[in-house]
């Protein structure tokens, strides 16, 4: 797990630092003259230190950044499918949550690497080289993510949130705001993940039904069918090279 976390940090550190730099500069530019730390000197010479609203906003954004990044990537679909797969196998806590989340993060990096690379090349590098201002860099950084999310979002989900937001000035996908696109994308990802999970569940459910029927016909009603069916499900999953099929299908389900 340690090497997996290090790999995740190495791939995403530049992107996260760049986005934080852009956001910090935007806030600082919007609130010119507002310092992060205010120092006030009392009548007796004592000094009081207080954080400004700018620093508070940045710290709040820092806590929300992981959730925002995960919801705008392929992580949601992958994590849900892997969780459903473990439930279908009936292996309780094997693989553990740490293994599944680590695998989901690694696969997310693999799938999102072209998008992250485009964000870094088109927005972060020019901004660090002082070739564009913060606002232009933020707009450039949002385009690859917007393109990725629009490619995975269903029209019905997008229309639902557009009608809920009562947006009347939308003439095409390029006019959809992030406030509408992100929940539409997450809703589509949830639906797609449950569809894939259903297809994964069916063969294991058939094995459970067959084993339960055989045990009942033999009068062994006190024996749990899950105990008997588990080896057969594991054998089936190994024989068909299940991990290869599941991970390959998940990566192939994204248009990359």
């Amino acid at each position: 797990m340690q090497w997996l976390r290090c790999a995740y940090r190495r791939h995403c550190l530049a992107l996260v630092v760049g986005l934080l730099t852009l956001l910090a500069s935007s806030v600082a530019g919007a609130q010119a003259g507002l310092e992060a730390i205010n120092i006030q000197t009392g009548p007796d010479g004592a000094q009081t230190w207080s954080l400004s609203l700018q620093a508070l906003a940045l710290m709040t954004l820092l806590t929300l950044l992981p959730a925002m990044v995960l919801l705008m990537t392929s992580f949601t679909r992958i994590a849900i499918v892997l969780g459903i797969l473990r439930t279908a196998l009936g292996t309780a806590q094997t693989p553990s949550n740490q293994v599944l989340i680590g695998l989901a993060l690694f696969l997310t990096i693999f799938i999102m690497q072209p998008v992250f690379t485009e964000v870094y090349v088109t927005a972060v590098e020019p901004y660090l080289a002082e070739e564009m201002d913060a606002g232009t860099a933020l707009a450039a950084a949002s385009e690859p993510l917007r393109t990725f999310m629009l490619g995975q979002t269903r029209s019905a989900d997008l229309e639902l949130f557009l009608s809920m937001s009562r947006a009347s000035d939308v003439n095409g996908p390029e006019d959809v705001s992030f406030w509408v696109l992100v929940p539409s994308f997450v809703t589509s990802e949830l639906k797609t993940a449950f569809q894939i999970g259903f297809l994964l569940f069916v063969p294991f459910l058939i094995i459970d039904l067959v084993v339960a029927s055989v045990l009942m016909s033999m009068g062994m009603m006190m024996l749990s069918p899950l105990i008997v069916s588990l080896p057969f499900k594991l054998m089936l999953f190994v024989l068909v090279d299940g991990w290869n099929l599941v991970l390959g299908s998940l990566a192939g389900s994204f248009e990359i």
Side-chain angles (χ1 to χ4, degrees):
M1 282 301 298
Q2 186 64 33
W3 68 269
L4 186 58
R5 293 174 182 170
C6 293
Y8 176 73
R9 290 169 184 167
R10 283 197 302 270
H11 283 81
C12 296
L13 181 59
L15 176 63
V16 173
V17 170
L19 291 177
L20 285 177
T21 305
L22 295 178
L23 292 171
S25 300
S26 299
V27 175
Q31 299 180 0
L34 181 61
E35 299 179 353
I37 299 178
N38 297 326
I39 304 176
Q40 297 179 352
T41 304
D44 55 350
Q47 291 183 341
T48 8
W49 298 56
S50 63
L51 292 177
S52 65
L53 293 178
Q54 174 186 343
L56 179 61
L58 289 176
M59 288 188 295
T60 304
L61 182 62
L62 185 61
T63 60
L64 297 178
L65 185 63
M68 294 169 58
V69 172
L70 293 181
L71 288 180
M72 291 188 293
T73 62
S74 58
F75 178 83
T76 302
R77 183 189 305 184
I78 298 171
I80 292 176
V81 170
L82 292 180
I84 293 177
L85 174 63
R86 184 176 64 181
T87 304
L89 286 171
T91 53
Q93 295 299 318
T94 304
S96 63
N97 291 330
Q98 290 83 356
V99 173
L100 291 185
I101 295 301
L103 181 59
L105 285 174
F106 188 83
L107 194 58
T108 299
I109 295 172
F110 173 77
I111 294 172
M112 299 297 298
Q113 185 176 3
V115 179
F116 290 157
T117 302
E118 187 176 355
V119 169
Y120 186 77
V121 171
T122 59
V124 178
E125 277 188 346
Y127 177 76
L128 295 178
E130 298 183 354
E131 297 176 359
M132 61 174 60
D133 56 14
T136 307
L138 280 174
S142 66
E143 286 305 316
L145 286 174
R146 175 188 294 273
T147 303
F148 172 79
M149 289 189 290
L150 281 174
Q152 307 300 323
T153 304
R154 292 178 172 83
S155 301
D157 298 324
L158 194 58
E159 291 174 1
L160 170 65
F161 284 94
L162 281 174
S163 62
M164 292 173 61
S165 64
R166 299 179 180 178
S168 57
D169 55 345
V170 177
N171 299 319
E174 64 280 356
D175 297 329
V176 178
S177 66
F178 260 77
W179 301 107
V180 174
L181 181 57
V182 172
S184 304
F185 170 73
V186 175
T187 305
S188 294
E189 288 294 283
L190 291 175
K191 184 176 181 179
T192 304
F194 278 99
Q195 289 177 343
I196 298 175
F198 170 77
L199 296 177
L200 287 175
F201 225 107
V202 170
F204 300 113
L205 179 61
I206 294 175
I207 294 178
D208 286 333
L209 291 175
V210 171
V211 170
S213 301
V214 171
L215 291 178
M216 289 195 64
S217 64
M218 297 174 62
M220 304 175 65
M221 292 177 292
M222 300 300 295
L223 181 61
S224 174
L226 295 178
I227 299 177
V228 181
S229 62
L230 179 59
F232 293 99
K233 291 190 287 187
L234 291 178
M235 181 180 64
L236 173 65
F237 192 70
V238 171
L239 288 178
V240 300
D241 200 1
W243 287 114
N244 193 350
L245 290 176
V246 171
L247 298 182
S249 300
L250 277 173
S253 65
F254 295 92
E255 299 176 1
I256 57 175

